[in-house]
Amino acid sequence: MSDDSKALNFIEHIVEEDLANNFPKEQLRFRFPPEPNGYLHIGHASSISLNFGLGLRYNAPVNLRFDDTNPAKEEQEFVDAIKKDVKWLGYTWDTERYASDYFQQLYDWAIYLIKNEKAYVDNQSSEEMAAQKGTPTQPGTNSPNRDRSVKENLALFNQMKNGEFEEGTHVLRAKIDMTSSNMLMRDPIMYRVLHKAHHRTNTDWCIYPMYDWTHGESDYIEQVSHSFCTLEFAMHRELYDWFLDQVYDAKKVRPKQREFARRNLSHTVVSKRKLAQLVENGVVDSWDDPRMPTISGLRRRGYTPESIRNFTETIGIAKRDNLIDVSLLEFQVRNHLNKVAPRVMAVLDPLKVVITNYPEGEEEWLDAENNPEDESAGSRKVPFSREFYIEKEDFREEANKKFFRLKLGKEVRLKNAYIIKAESCTKDTDGNIIEVQCTYDPKSKSGSGTEESLRKVKGTLHWVSIKHAVEAEVRLYDRLFTDESPDTHKDKDFLEFINPDSLQVIKGFLEPHLKDAKIGDRVQFQRLGYFCVDTDSSSEKLVFNKTVGLRDSWAKIAEK
RNA sequence: UGGCCCAUGGUGUAAUUGGCAACACUCCGGUUUUUGGUACCGUCAUUCAAGGUUCGAGUCCUUGUGGGCCAACCA
C-alpha cells in the first residue's frame, strides 16, 4: 500500500526527520480521533488514510479514539457508524479508545494543576469572562477569581464534581496569560458543569473536560507519537504543548501535534454541522443518502473502498487551501469499477424497435462477454427477440455524419447480436417517435465468424428484449449544489445553492438475469454508466443507484 | 491596530532539501475499439510580484500583494 518510491508528503517528511533524529521507530504510534457526533465524510477519509497509511508504512499501531467529551452532542449510533466506515475503508485499528476512558486521570491531573496554582475555579458568567478576554489586538484582563487560594479552588472544584452547582455557574480555568497574543492562552476553560448523561459514563460525571485539556493528554496517555489534525487547530498547538508541560514525564514519549489542510470537495460541503443540516432540513433523506459526501453515502452510491483510498492518495496532504474537483473522485471509481464491474445491458429511456424480418415468437439466447477487461469474468446468455428497446436518443430520422447511431436507411450493430437497418418509424399524434421498424442481417450474428458478422459498422447500441425485460426503479443523481464552493460565500447561505434536480427517479428495463441482483452489487450498464443495487431494493422491487456515468465524448460532440 | 499559517498549469499534489519544474485528473486533438467506454499517443506552467544572496533559486533573505485561521462553558 505504501510505496517507498512514491514522493512523501510534508507529514511523512516530519516523521522521517524525527526518525533521522533518532526517534525510535518502535515508538511510532498514531491515532484517528473522531468526535461521535455525526457520520464520517470524504474529508475524514483523508485523515483516516493519512493516519492508517502511516501505520502501514511504518508498521506502527494506530488507535481509533473517540473524542467524546461533550455528552450533549454525542451518541452511540455515531460510534457504531464510524467504526463501520473505518472498517469498510479497509483499515484496522490497534485499540479502540475513548477520551471518556480518561475522565478520572484527567480529573486527577486537574487537581494536580490546582495544587500547582496552574488552574482556578471561576464563577463569573460567560459574558463577564468574554469581556475580560480582550480582542486579538487588545490584551485581556485577569479574572477577579484568578488568585483564589488552592484550598478554596480545591473545595469549589470538588463541589463542581459533586453536582452542587448549576450548569454555567462554575468552570475550571487554566492560569496562563490573559495578555497572550494567542487568544486560546488567555486562561482557557478546562472543565464545565454539564448535568447530562454521557453515552458511556452515563451520570458518573457532571463535569466534562474541554477539547484542549483532553486531546493532548489523551495522546500522551496513549503514547501517541504524532498527532495530526486540521489547520484550524494550529493555534491550539501552543495550548496543547502547555498542558503537556504540566504533566510530562521526560521518560515518556511526548506527542507532537502537526496540522494539515482539510480537503474541500467541489459542489458539496464537508462539514459535519452542515451535513447534519441537510439531513435535518430534509434536503436529503439521511446521512447515507447517495448524494451525501459521507462515507456511508458514497458506499450506498456504489463507490468502492479502493476508489476512495486511491482518491485520498492522489490528492495528497498539504497545508494550502484547496478545492478538489469532483472529477478526481469520479475518475477513481470509474477506474476501479471498469476493472471489476460486470457489463450488462439496460435501457433507461425506451424506444420500441421491431425487426420486421425476424420470425414472430422466436427467441435466441446470445453470448455476451461479462467484462472485456477481465477474461476470467466469463460470459452469460442474453435473450434476443423480434421486439426490443433501445434508448430514445440512439435513434434519429436523419442526422449528420457525426451521429453513429441508428437513423433511417442506415445500419448499426446491436451489441452481442445482429446488424440492423432502420427502414421506417411511426409517430403519435404529437409527432413523437414511438416505434422504429428495422430489418436485420441474419448472417451478421456476433461471434458467428461469418463474413457478414465481421463487417464494420460505425455504431453499436445496447438493447433489451421487451418480452424478457426486467423492470427496475433507477435513481439518477446530480451534484447536490449548483455552486462549486457553496459554503464560502459571505453574503449567502450554502442552502441557497441546493440543486433542486439532484435526484431523478425513473423506470429502467434490464436484461433478465439482473432480477437476482443483490443489494450492493455493482454493474456497468453498457454505454450508460456504473450502477449499484440500493439498500431499498427487494425481490419485489429492484432499485438501482447510478454511481457515475461513463466518460461521454459523444455528449461533447453533440453539444457543438 | 495584533498573532499564526499559506501561495507551483483549469484542479490536486511532487521536485533527490540550492542543480534540466514531475505525476494524476480535467480540457483540447488523434490512434485503436462490436461500449462515442477501456487502452494508447500528443498539446496546455519559465513556480503571486519586485528586489537581493549565489556559478546556479520553485526552494534561502527582504519588502509587497493575495488568501485562510484566531475571542463557543463545541470539537
Side-chain angles (χ1 to χ4, degrees):
Chain A
M1 190 151 300
S2 56
D3 178 1
D4 282 344
S5 66
K6 136 183 175 297
L8 303 184
N9 62 46
F10 86 98
I11 293 284
E12 291 163 334
H13 277 297
I14 288 170
V15 177
E16 286 293 330
E17 197 182 316
D18 288 339
L19 254 17
N21 289 329
N22 299 316
F23 183 89
K25 188 165 179 281
E26 328 71 73
Q27 288 184 14
L28 246 25
R29 181 182 281 272
F30 310 98
R31 109 263 92 119
F32 171 61
E35 182 190 10
N37 67 340
Y39 284 68
L40 260 23
H41 54 65
I42 188 70
H44 292 109
S46 268
S47 176
I48 292 169
S49 288
L50 172 68
N51 286 296
F52 285 95
L54 249 12
L56 258 14
R57 181 185 189 90
Y58 296 105
N59 196 238
V62 184
N63 289 347
L64 173 61
R65 183 170 75 233
F66 292 96
D67 233 331
D68 56 349
T69 57
N70 185 357
K73 293 184 176 175
E74 297 147 7
E75 293 171 32
Q76 186 61 38
E77 173 201 348
F78 297 130
V79 169
D80 297 337
I82 289 167
K83 286 164 68 176
K84 178 179 176 180
D85 288 348
V86 174
K87 273 188 212 162
W88 180 75
L89 282 172
Y91 295 111
T92 309
W93 51 86
D94 183 53
T95 55
E96 178 179 332
R97 304 295 188 104
Y98 294 82
S100 54
D101 291 341
Y102 313 137
F103 282 173
Q104 184 61 47
Q105 172 69 81
L106 256 11
Y107 176 78
D108 294 342
W109 273 333
I111 298 282
Y112 177 69
L113 259 64
I114 292 173
K115 287 180 177 169
N116 285 342
E117 298 189 56
K118 296 289 191 183
Y120 63 97
V121 173
D122 202 339
N123 59 330
Q124 297 183 95
S125 69
S126 57
E127 292 75 19
E128 285 171 309
M129 288 195 279
Q132 289 156 9
K133 199 120 197 185
T135 70
T137 53
Q138 283 176 306
T141 51
N142 288 350
S143 163
N145 301 313
R146 202 172 198 261
D147 295 317
R148 244 194 253 275
S149 70
V150 169
K151 192 179 164 194
E152 198 181 348
N153 279 322
L154 252 14
L156 252 15
F157 189 47
N158 191 248
Q159 285 180 281
M160 280 173 66
K161 186 200 178 208
N162 291 339
E164 294 174 33
F165 298 131
E166 296 290 305
E167 288 187 12
T169 60
H170 292 71
V171 292
L172 183 72
R173 289 228 256 170
K175 192 188 286 191
I176 308 181
D177 179 7
M178 290 303 288
T179 66
S180 172
S181 59
N182 183 349
M183 299 292 289
L184 292 161
M185 299 299 279
R186 325 247 259 224
D187 289 9
I189 292 171
M190 294 170 66
Y191 276 94
R192 76 284 214 190
V193 173
L194 246 31
H195 293 285
K196 292 195 171 61
H198 184 278
H199 67 102
R200 296 188 78 244
T201 61
N202 199 11
T203 53
D204 292 354
W205 297 86
C206 62
I207 54 171
Y208 289 91
M210 301 288 287
Y211 165 84
D212 288 297
W213 170 234
T214 309
H215 204 92
E217 315 306 280
S218 299
D219 287 338
Y220 180 58
I221 290 167
E222 293 175 21
Q223 286 290 279
V224 164
S225 58
H226 298 262
S227 179
F228 301 114
C229 58
T230 45
L231 240 28
E232 59 268 31
F233 290 97
M235 300 301 290
H236 293 247
R237 188 151 111 198
E238 192 180 357
L239 183 52
Y240 180 102
D241 286 331
W242 189 91
F243 278 136
L244 234 33
D245 285 338
Q246 309 312 311
V247 304
Y248 180 59
D249 172 346
K251 289 192 287 292
K252 292 192 166 179
V253 170
R254 184 186 170 102
K256 176 188 268 194
Q257 172 183 308
R258 287 297 179 272
E259 311 82 19
F260 61 90
R262 70 183 311 157
R263 266 58 269 279
N264 299 301
L265 231 208
S266 73
H267 301 282
T268 190
V269 291
V270 193
S271 137
K272 265 192 257 182
R273 205 193 96 244
K274 287 169 187 155
L275 293 173
Q277 260 182 278
L278 294 176
V279 177
E280 285 155 15
N281 295 359
V283 173
V284 296
D285 295 331
S286 55
W287 283 94
D288 71 344
D289 186 293
R291 291 166 291 181
M292 291 282 269
T294 50
I295 303 300
S296 50
L298 291 166
R299 173 169 57 231
R300 189 167 163 194
R301 177 81 171 254
Y303 275 74
T304 60
E306 289 88 339
S307 63
I308 295 175
R309 276 191 261 121
N310 288 341
F311 170 71
T312 61
E313 196 167 306
T314 55
I315 62 173
I317 292 287
K319 293 185 81 168
R320 55 178 125 141
D321 294 328
N322 57 82
L323 182 61
I324 298 157
D325 199 290
V326 269
S327 65
L328 299 229
L329 216 208
E330 291 174 343
F331 166 78
Q332 296 296 164
V333 230
R334 287 198 194 97
N335 198 34
H336 185 218
L337 257 18
N338 175 50
K339 306 254 175 356
V340 301
R343 314 292 138 119
V344 298
M345 293 197 286
V347 173
L348 300 184
D349 188 15
L351 172 61
K352 182 178 175 183
V353 177
V354 178
I355 304 191
T356 54
N357 60 338
Y358 193 87
E360 258 176 272
E362 185 160 320
E363 66 179 52
E364 294 176 78
W365 287 74
L366 307 169
D367 281 318
E369 193 180 23
N370 285 330
N371 189 344
E373 303 290 314
D374 177 11
E375 218 168 293
S376 71
S379 64
R380 66 187 185 286
K381 295 285 189 183
V382 185
F384 182 77
S385 66
R386 183 181 154 95
E387 298 183 345
F388 52 88
Y389 289 131
I390 63 170
E391 301 289 343
K392 271 202 184 82
E393 65 161 20
D394 283 342
F395 173 75
R396 284 185 195 173
E397 288 181 86
E398 46 189 71
N400 66 27
K401 279 200 168 58
K402 287 187 172 171
F403 187 80
F404 302 161
R405 285 111 109 129
L406 193 61
K407 52 191 163 186
L408 290 180
K410 297 293 182 190
E411 288 187 323
V412 87
R413 164 130 244 147
L414 292 177
K415 180 79 182 170
N416 305 313
Y418 299 95
I419 292 173
I420 59 169
K421 185 200 238 179
E423 307 287 358
S424 58
C425 63
T426 53
K427 298 178 184 174
D428 64 15
T429 49
D430 296 326
N432 300 311
I433 297 166
I434 53 170
E435 185 184 298
V436 181
Q437 294 84 35
C438 294
T439 53
Y440 85 121
D441 177 353
K443 292 182 181 158
S444 66
K445 185 155 119 183
S446 290
S448 63
T450 62
E451 199 179 309
E452 291 84 349
S453 74
L454 268 14
R455 280 169 53 211
K456 299 287 177 201
V457 287
K458 202 74 174 141
T460 301
L461 306 186
H462 62 277
W463 50 275
V464 171
S465 167
I466 295 176
K467 186 167 77 181
H468 304 87
V470 172
E471 288 186 16
E473 175 175 313
V474 179
R475 299 174 181 172
L476 308 177
Y477 302 101
D478 196 356
R479 39 191 53 149
L480 239 191
F481 294 92
T482 53
D483 189 88
E484 66 169 10
S485 189
D487 57 351
T488 56
H489 299 266
K490 295 157 214 67
D491 48 332
K492 284 186 175 169
D493 189 76
F494 75 103
L495 293 171
E496 291 180 43
F497 297 102
I498 298 280
N499 174 7
D501 304 314
S502 60
L503 169 63
Q504 192 191 350
V505 180
I506 60 171
K507 184 160 83 174
F509 299 87
L510 326 179
E511 61 175 82
H513 89 275
L514 247 22
K515 74 173 191 301
D516 298 321
K518 301 281 179 296
I519 288 173
D521 282 357
R522 302 181 183 98
V523 294
Q524 183 196 93
F525 288 174
Q526 284 179 110
R527 302 210 304 136
L528 297 176
Y530 295 100
F531 293 74
C532 73
V533 182
D534 188 68
T535 47
D536 287 343
S537 196
S538 66
S539 50
E540 290 80 51
K541 185 191 179 193
L542 275 175
V543 180
F544 278 82
N545 290 321
K546 181 173 182 175
T547 306
V548 67
L550 260 22
R551 277 185 66 220
D552 190 355
S553 45
W554 163 243
K556 288 163 194 161
I557 297 167
E559 266 179 36
K560 290 175 191 169

